[in-house]
Amino acid sequence: MPSSLQQAIKFLETQWSSINENKIKGIVSEIRLKEFLINNNHHFVSGGWILTPGNPSISVIPTREKLCILPRGHSFSWNASNQDGGLLTPAEMSAYNYFRQVGLRALFAKPINVEEINFSLPIRSAGIKRANYPRPYQLQLQEVSPNGKFINVSIDEAFEKFPRRKGNIGMRCHASDRIDSAQPIWCVPSIVSDLFWFEYARYFLQVDYLISNNDLDLFIIGHSGSSFPVELKSKTAASDNAFGEWFGIDMGPFAKLSFFTSNAMNNDALYIVEEVDENRAHIEWYGIKFSELVKACSWVGQGGGKGMMGGNSSTYKIPKAAFTPLSELLQIL
């Protein structure tokens, strides 16, 4: 495994096609939100991956074969405080059950045979004839039995509807040395460790299977015990004559949250915005249930700015007045 924090950062760089301002803003905002939730005694679970088969060669409608992968961590010598995937927490169980309610198969991904020796990075560059995508340790997929015990699941069985990758065709490895590791967020071992395990879970599975992936920022557990998947953005408020002040939500996240709420279980989701000023300084946390968002938003999309992947986005407007300060919203969940 990565023997140092710097080596873990290099792995993250190989997995991120675009380390632009929006990418860093998103990471910083997620860290701030977790600190806010911890300081206010609100339970949450770090996010997961929604994986869809990469083409219709096995399933006629691949989008109906989605899986949810919930990565679990393991300690490193440079982050000894990180837990090693022991007993499930009530928050993890709540998030797991949420996915089952919306019709998704949920699987925890637990690292096994973890060693901090002989760790090697994915390599793909002009000076190397053959790309190399090593997987220095294995992941064990697990479901939860009715009595709360883990049941091991083979990867082949879980991914039977996913086409196998033919060699390394379609794999990507991006350049390293693009992150300024002197920035404060990259000096906190727990942050880097969590990001490492999150990205490694997707990378590990993508080596063997054709996968389309969407990430989920985190789950918040309400006082009622209900779970709420969260889409998080850091934004300055825009303004126009028709809407007054407003925040936008991109078409992709809108579709994702629509999926979570399009069932008969009365599930809901949260869109959380960290309002910041022009210098990226924090102003306030705001939140809105998705069931309220769809009542308040404009039904006409408009062109947005650059997304985290560097491409242009399409945005729906939501009046700022429709949002509630997050500290107030969390009290009624």
Side-chain angles (χ1 to χ4, degrees):
M1 283 301 88
S3 59
S4 68
L5 181 146
Q6 289 73 27
Q7 197 174 40
I9 291 173
K10 284 185 177 296
F11 172 80
L12 292 173
E13 290 177 312
T14 69
Q15 300 306 296
W16 292 339
S17 61
S18 178
I19 303 178
N20 57 16
E21 183 181 1
N22 280 346
K23 182 72 177 180
I24 301 301
K25 285 191 299 187
I27 293 171
V28 171
S29 187
E30 185 172 330
I31 293 166
R32 286 174 173 170
L33 177 59
K34 290 178 178 178
E35 290 175 347
F36 171 85
L37 295 171
I38 291 170
N39 292 337
N40 289 276
N41 298 313
H42 294 292
H43 296 290
F44 66 91
V45 179
S46 294
W49 293 102
I50 310 297
L51 304 182
T52 306
N55 69 38
S57 62
I58 297 176
S59 174
V60 176
I61 307 178
T63 48
R64 290 186 176 175
E65 307 296 342
K66 293 182 179 72
L67 291 177
C68 173
I69 302 297
L70 296 168
R72 306 196 84 204
H74 193 287
S75 63
F76 296 119
S77 60
W78 43 270
N79 183 35
S81 62
N82 195 34
Q83 295 182 354
D84 290 348
L87 296 176
L88 280 176
T89 66
E92 285 179 311
M93 195 66 217
S94 181
Y96 177 83
N97 285 333
Y98 182 98
F99 281 116
R100 296 181 66 189
Q101 289 172 357
V102 300
L104 281 178
R105 187 178 187 184
L107 297 158
F108 290 102
K110 177 185 177 181
I112 56 176
N113 301 327
V114 177
E115 299 282 349
E116 290 193 5
I117 57 175
N118 299 324
F119 179 75
S120 54
L121 293 165
I123 298 174
R124 182 169 184 160
S125 67
I128 296 176
K129 293 182 179 180
R130 185 177 179 85
N132 185 29
Y133 299 98
R135 292 183 294 180
Y137 66 93
Q138 297 297 305
L139 292 182
Q140 176 62 63
L141 300 184
Q142 296 179 315
E143 291 181 316
V144 182
S145 69
N147 61 2
K149 294 183 178 180
F150 281 118
I151 301 172
N152 289 344
V153 176
S154 75
I155 294 176
D156 286 345
E157 184 269 315
F159 282 80
E160 63 179 351
K161 297 295 186 181
F162 286 68
R164 284 266 182 182
R165 188 178 295 280
K166 297 179 180 179
N168 290 331
I169 297 174
M171 287 290 292
R172 295 289 183 269
C173 175
H174 305 285
S176 57
D177 299 322
R178 294 178 295 150
I179 286 177
D180 179 5
S181 58
Q183 291 181 334
I185 63 170
W186 303 114
C187 299
V188 182
S190 60
I191 292 172
V192 176
S193 179
D194 286 348
L195 288 169
F196 176 90
W197 290 116
F198 183 77
E199 293 294 338
Y200 187 90
R202 177 199 50 76
Y203 164 80
F204 179 90
L205 296 166
Q206 203 168 37
V207 170
D208 283 339
Y209 298 95
L210 294 175
I211 288 171
S212 175
N213 57 265
N214 292 94
D215 67 325
L216 182 64
D217 293 326
L218 69 157
F219 265 92
I220 288 178
I221 314 303
H223 292 299
S224 65
S226 298
S227 298
F228 298 87
V230 171
E231 181 69 23
L232 169 65
K233 296 296 179 185
S234 176
K235 294 178 176 289
T236 55
S239 181
D240 61 34
N241 292 332
F243 258 65
E245 286 192 302
W246 57 272
F247 296 119
I249 182 171
D250 291 347
M251 186 179 294
F254 186 93
K256 178 169 52 178
L257 297 186
S258 296
F259 171 81
F260 289 135
T261 57
S262 62
N263 58 77
M265 300 297 294
N266 294 320
N267 292 310
D268 216 325
L270 300 178
Y271 182 45
I272 294 178
V273 172
E274 180 189 26
E275 184 178 15
V276 295
D277 64 19
E278 294 180 355
N279 297 316
R280 307 304 307 168
H282 172 83
I283 297 176
E284 179 63 277
W285 292 106
Y286 290 100
I288 185 171
K289 288 185 177 182
F290 188 72
S291 57
E292 295 299 319
L293 184 155
V294 295
K295 299 175 185 176
C297 73
S298 168
W299 289 8
V300 179
Q302 71 169 45
K306 294 286 185 182
M308 287 188 184
M309 301 300 292
N312 291 325
S313 61
S314 182
T315 298
Y316 297 112
K317 298 179 182 178
I318 312 149
K320 181 178 176 181
F323 287 78
T324 302
L326 186 58
S327 57
E328 297 178 21
L329 179 61
L330 292 174
Q331 296 303 317
I332 61 174
L333 293 180

